[in-house]
Amino acid sequence: MSQFSHLNQQGEANMVDVSGKPVSTREATAQGFLVVSDEVITAISDARIAKGDVFAVARIAGIQGAKRCSDLIPLCHPLALSKVDIQFETLAEDNRIKVICWCKLNGQTGVEMEALTGVNIALLTLFDMCKAIDPGMRIEAVCVTDKQGGKTGHWKRDTV
């Protein structure tokens, strides 16, 4: 059984020292879904959400979330992200909105937490902007789908 990297020999929480790790290009992709009503799908496609362009606002929020990950998640390293990309796909047949966040940097630690934070903040922003129409929306299936770089190389989720 592998040991938790964020615990020291005394079992106390600590930030992992990555200073000895080589710098490499690291990327991670995460995704999640917002399950919504027909009314939300229609209001978004007709640009009738009172708070404005939901995808534009959620994109900016997701990017900001990824950049601020270390302020939100204890023991995460502050990272100099070189790219954050947030994409949306409306899946009207399933009454879902898919959010994908891709993060990249040249560094000594991975960007999975940043990608997950970007997805979650974008999803929460969509929820906030649409809750007047459908307070019963739900966020589901948030996960890392792909990561590259570092000693583990390339990892890809088999099923999403």
Side-chain angles (χ1 to χ4, degrees), residues 83-95:
K83 179 66 176 173
V84 178
D85 183 61
I86 306 281
Q87 296 297 317
F88 303 95
E89 184 179 349
T90 302
L91 306 167
E93 65 280 357
D94 295 330
N95 281 43

Side-chain angles (χ1 to χ4, degrees), residues 76-138:
C76 276
H77 294 86
L79 301 179
L81 296 170
S82 57
K83 179 66 176 173
V84 178
D85 183 61
I86 306 281
Q87 296 297 317
F88 303 95
E89 184 179 349
T90 302
L91 306 167
E93 65 280 357
D94 295 330
N95 281 43
R96 298 189 306 164
I97 299 168
K98 180 179 183 179
V99 179
I100 301 167
C101 178
W102 174 74
C103 295
K104 181 179 181 180
L105 63 65
N106 290 324
Q108 296 167 296
T109 188
V111 290
E112 300 92 340
M113 294 308 299
E114 288 71 17
L116 286 166
T117 302
V119 161
N120 277 290
I121 297 300
L123 286 164
L124 289 167
T125 301
L126 289 174
F127 191 105
D128 179 55
M129 294 187 76
C130 300
K131 68 186 178 200
I133 296 171
D134 181 8
M137 295 175 293
R138 72 179 183 276

Side-chain angles (χ1 to χ4, degrees), residues 27-31 111-113 115-116 141-147 155-157 159-160:
E27 301 177 33
T29 305
Q31 71 176 32
V111 290
E112 300 92 340
M113 294 308 299
L116 286 166
V142 175
C143 63
V144 173
T145 59
D146 189 87
K147 68 181 216 101
W155 175 87
K156 189 169 181 72
R157 181 172 295 282
T159 58
V160 183

